[in-house]
Each structure stands twice: as C-alpha cells, then as structure tokens.
Amino acid sequence: MLCRVLQSERLKGRRSPVWLVFLLLPIFPALLGTLNYLGNLGVLENGWYSLWSQHTIFAASFFMPAQFGVFCAWQWRLEHSGYNWNSYLTAPVSPKTLYAGKFWMAAGVSVLAQGCIGLLYLVSGKVAGIAAPPPAELAGWLLFGALGSMAVCAVQLFLSLVLRSFAAPVLLGLLGGIAGLLMTSRGAGVYFPYSLLCLGMRANNPSMDLPVGAFLISCLVYTVVFSALSVRWLSRRDAVTG
C-alpha cells in the first residue's frame, strides 16, 4: 500500500512547478559561495575545504531550510484546498501510511538536494581553479547532511499539515535555519532540529569533529516525534470528519 501512496505522490508532483525550486535554488548558494571564495583567496587558503565552508554557510542556513519548507508546504497544499480532506482521509489507507508516503517523498527530495549541492560544489571547485582532488570527506558531509535534512522535513511536514497557509511554514523554515545557525555557533546545535542540517554538512567548519552518537539520536528523536505528531493529527482529524 505504501508503494501506491508513493506513486500517487509522485504523480501529483510530476508537472508541478515546485521542481523548479530544486533546479534553481541550489545554484544561488553555489554562486554566492564561489564568488565569496574567489574574492577572499588571501584569507581562504585551504582550497576545497575553504570553498565548502563558503558554499554551505549559505546553503544550510538559508536556502535549504526554505527549499524544504516550500516542498513540504506544497505536499499538503492539495489537501488544504476545498474539501479534499474528506476524500483524502476517507481513502482505504491508514493515516500512518498516508503520512509515510509524504515523508519518504520529502526524504527522497532531501537526498536529491544533497546530491545537487555536492555536484555544484565539484563543478565550482573546477571553475575556481582548485587543482587538488576533492576531499575524501565529501561523501560523509552529504550523508550526514541528508540525515539532518530528514529531521527538518519531519518538522516542516508537521507545520505544513497544521497550518493551512502556504507561506507560513516556508517562513518558519527560513527562520528556523537562521536560528539553527545561531544555536550551532553557541555549541547547542545538536539540540535544535534546524541545526542538524548545519552540523551534518559541517557548514562553515569542514574540520569540525561531529558528535556522531548525539547527532544520530537527535535526528531520530526529531524525526520520530514530529512524524508521530503528524500521524496523531491525521487520526484525530479523521475521527472528526468521519
């Protein structure tokens, strides 16, 4: 049944302009980061690592939280329109499966976003004239960034579920990314969901020693808690509309 729900979600987004967000938004932090790197070569002397710090400080704190906010808000937009909740919640599918379809769709998109960030980073490095091979840590940065992204998506899906407005969850995602940067700078990033994206990607600090155990537990807790809240909300709404 989950496969059918995922197929339905994929078909809904097949011709949606929301995909333009994932084609265009990653270009901006890559462009800004590369220009900032090239403009400060006298200070940023560590090649690939310096370039990564410039790319990710923009991507992880501003663009990606807004990007996930747009996608998650779009996922619930059809259900929030008109009387679509009635048909959606009376389908012969459990609320848990309905939510799982949206979560795994968002999780897949978050992995895709990390892939785009990595590809643009490699291209930017070559354009910037970095002769050394790319850092071996890149795969780890992207992997842990994807895990942090999934926690952010779980939070954004819940916000987009309970708020009918399309813009409000997107704004909260952007504000969450900024707050995540502040929490990370104060050493408390592992306790805040939007900071997990920064921590996982080692945003602005590629040499940072990630507390892997605490990071994974925090990702799991936020993902499970906000997924459970979403399923509970769907179940309660089903009882009211049924």
Side-chain angles (χ1 to χ4, degrees):
M1 187 60 72
L2 177 59
C3 292
R4 291 185 179 180
V5 174
L6 283 169
Q7 179 71 3
S8 174
E9 292 293 327
R10 188 185 68 82
L11 289 174
K12 280 198 302 185
R14 193 171 182 178
R15 297 180 180 178
S16 172
V18 74
W19 295 110
L20 289 175
V21 174
F22 289 90
L23 293 175
L24 297 178
L25 270 186
I27 296 175
F28 291 104
L31 181 61
L32 290 171
T34 302
L35 290 175
N36 200 46
Y37 169 76
L38 292 173
N40 295 277
L41 290 176
V43 179
L44 303 173
E45 302 176 339
N46 206 10
W48 285 106
Y49 295 94
S50 295
L51 180 64
W52 181 256
S53 70
Q54 300 309 299
H55 272 222
T56 53
I57 192 62
F58 292 110
S61 302
F62 304 103
F63 289 93
M64 294 186 76
Q67 185 177 3
F68 297 142
V70 169
F71 187 80
C72 292
W74 168 82
Q75 283 187 286
W76 291 112
R77 185 181 181 187
L78 181 63
E79 284 74 26
H80 283 313
S81 302
Y83 295 95
N84 289 326
W85 275 114
N86 292 330
S87 58
Y88 183 74
L89 293 173
T90 54
V93 183
S94 69
K96 185 182 296 185
T97 304
L98 290 172
Y99 171 79
K102 292 190 183 293
F103 174 77
W104 287 115
M105 186 75 171
V109 166
S110 69
V111 172
L112 177 62
Q114 290 292 332
C116 290
I117 293 292
L119 178 61
L120 288 169
Y121 168 67
L122 294 174
V123 172
S124 298
K126 295 303 180 183
V127 171
I130 302 177
E137 300 95 329
L138 177 59
W141 296 338
L142 297 176
L143 172 61
F144 285 103
L147 294 175
S149 297
M150 292 180 192
V152 172
C153 285
V155 176
Q156 286 297 139
L157 279 173
F158 175 72
L159 294 174
S160 299
L161 173 62
V162 300
L163 299 173
R164 292 182 62 89
S165 168
F166 184 90
V170 177
L171 177 60
L172 289 173
L174 181 58
L175 294 176
I178 297 172
L181 178 62
L182 295 175
M183 293 289 286
T184 302
S185 67
R186 295 179 179 180
V190 74
Y191 304 111
F192 189 66
Y194 292 90
S195 299
L196 298 175
L197 183 55
C198 294
L199 288 176
M201 297 179 73
R202 319 304 201 277
N204 201 36
N205 188 8
S207 61
M208 180 182 64
D209 186 16
L210 180 71
V212 176
F215 174 84
L216 293 177
I217 291 173
S218 189
C219 286
L220 180 62
V221 167
Y222 276 112
T223 300
V224 170
V225 167
F226 278 92
S227 294
L229 288 173
S230 295
V231 172
R232 178 174 173 79
W233 193 96
L234 284 171
S235 299
R236 291 171 64 89
R237 179 154 189 155
D238 187 28
V240 172
T241 59

